[in-house]
Amino acid sequence: MKKKIIFLFLFIPLMAFAQSGGESLPVHSTEVAPGVYRLFVNERVATVLFSGPDGVILIDAAYEQTATQLKAAIEAITQTPISYLVNTHHHGDHVGGNVALGSNAIIISHQYVRDYVSSEHRAGERVIPAMAEEGRPDISFLNELKLDFNGQTLQMLHLPKGHTNGDVIIYFPESKVIVVGDLLFADNFPYVDVGSGGDPMGYILNQQYILDNFPRDLTVIGGHGPIYTMERLREYNLELQKTVETVRIAKQQGMTAEQMKAARILREWEAWGKFFITEDRWIDTLFPVL
Ligand SMILES: [Zn+2]
């Protein structure tokens, strides 16, 4: 691990930082289980800290621009340096703080995430430069990785073709917590990064996989939005399926995407459109795949 290069790069986060004015909002810390904290950065993106006798693991590093405030929020909980930083996927609002927070840690991700951040890549129209070497994952895996840490076996599991093609969920069996990254935009329409191998149908199936394969009494932490229970995730997933069926039926009836938007066929879920993905964008995401 040679992590000596200091390299500042222009970084425009996927969900424009400017939407929140770019100002520093507080990091809200919630202890969801003993030693397990959800740190909600700028009221926009969730990271998770697990502190215990073996040390500290951080899941996701939020934006590059919020690294200082996230670091301060972590230091308010523990002075122990971060041993491991896990990235749930490659988007800038999750890996942007990798250099600032992970340069002395072992960074872990799915292999695709390592590939993305290690070379110049596109995000829609934008070109994202390669990340400085000290912010790139040191350990990457394809299907599953288990880590014995702080008295439990953390399970990192790849769920393909969801939000991206490299999404990883992290299960804390003793803490009864599951961190699902952007496979959950709680209380919102999800962003599905089709250009990076995401798939709206796979997104729904991946949520169902989580519901079908993990205990019912877990706390569910998504990348955006409030903390959920498994029951709330089930309800959300059913609503998401209803949005899909609504668009599918409209398409079968011959409506174009523009007609669906004009008719506001997803108006029932208008509260889900206020954060990032609007009703119209969700229609545009679904229309080509139905
Ligand atoms: Zn994302």
Side-chain angles (χ1 to χ4, degrees):
M1 262 196 299
K2 283 189 181 162
K3 297 189 168 186
K4 288 176 184 165
I5 307 162
I6 295 169
F7 175 57
L8 294 173
F9 58 93
L10 181 67
F11 168 69
I12 305 162
L14 203 63
M15 278 176 285
F17 194 67
Q19 282 176 12
S20 62
E23 77 277 22
S24 285
L25 296 171
V27 176
H28 281 138
S29 171
T30 307
E31 190 172 17
V32 296
V36 182
Y37 300 81
R38 185 186 83 140
L39 301 172
F40 201 42
V41 178
N42 263 32
E43 305 287 342
R44 302 189 72 77
V45 59
T47 71
V48 173
L49 183 83
F50 181 27
S51 176
D54 294 338
V56 171
I57 185 167
L58 178 68
I59 299 172
D60 281 340
Y63 304 92
E64 185 187 17
Q65 297 95 325
T66 53
T68 306
Q69 65 195 96
L70 178 55
K71 214 170 192 173
I74 292 168
E75 283 168 7
I77 294 167
T78 175
Q79 298 294 312
T80 307
I82 297 166
S83 295
Y84 297 99
L85 167 60
V86 181
N87 291 134
T88 58
H89 63 293
H90 74 280
H91 286 152
D93 52 332
H94 299 261
V95 304
N98 270 22
V99 171
L101 289 149
S103 55
N104 293 315
I106 293 169
I107 304 178
I108 303 173
S109 77
H110 190 268
Q111 191 173 304
Y112 297 159
V113 176
R114 196 196 186 288
D115 294 345
Y116 274 119
V117 303
S118 300
S119 57
E120 185 179 281
H121 60 281
R122 296 191 76 85
E125 296 300 303
R126 287 176 291 113
V127 175
I128 311 292
M131 183 177 283
E133 201 177 328
E134 69 266 34
R136 298 178 196 171
D138 303 291
I139 295 174
S140 56
F141 64 97
L142 270 178
N143 298 317
E144 186 180 16
L145 188 140
K146 287 185 173 174
L147 177 67
D148 286 311
F149 197 69
N150 289 342
Q152 53 191 308
T153 303
L154 305 180
Q155 182 190 13
M156 305 174 203
L157 186 66
H158 177 222
L159 295 183
K161 293 182 188 172
H163 173 65
T164 66
N165 59 356
D167 303 307
V168 166
I169 61 171
I170 301 97
Y171 173 44
F172 294 67
E174 304 302 325
S175 305
K176 297 194 172 294
V177 171
I178 192 159
V179 181
V180 301
D182 282 2
L183 286 171
L184 175 61
F185 277 68
D187 293 357
N188 289 281
F189 291 116
Y191 171 53
V192 176
D193 187 354
V194 176
S196 300
D199 174 74
M201 298 303 121
Y203 192 97
I204 288 170
L205 289 172
N206 285 349
Q207 287 188 344
Q208 289 170 349
Y209 179 90
I210 294 165
L211 290 164
D212 292 344
N213 289 279
F214 291 92
R216 291 183 174 189
D217 57 350
L218 302 184
T219 296
V220 183
I221 301 177
H224 306 278
I227 298 166
Y228 269 10
T229 60
M230 288 288 265
E231 185 50 37
R232 186 75 194 86
L233 178 62
R234 188 178 300 280
E235 291 164 7
Y236 174 89
N237 185 263
L238 287 172
E239 291 299 315
L240 202 55
Q241 289 181 58
K242 280 192 215 168
T243 68
V244 173
E245 285 315 302
T246 302
V247 175
R248 189 197 307 275
I249 289 165
K251 189 172 178 180
Q252 281 169 353
Q253 289 171 345
M255 285 178 89
T256 65
E258 294 312 310
Q259 287 169 335
M260 293 179 200
K261 293 174 197 173
R264 297 228 20 223
I265 64 166
L266 298 181
R267 185 196 290 263
E268 186 181 339
W269 296 275
E270 69 176 339
W272 280 11
K274 292 180 179 143
F275 170 60
F276 178 42
I277 300 299
T278 60
E279 290 170 44
D280 288 0
R281 271 196 78 178
W282 188 232
I283 289 169
D284 283 335
T285 304
L286 295 174
F287 190 85
V289 299
L290 294 175

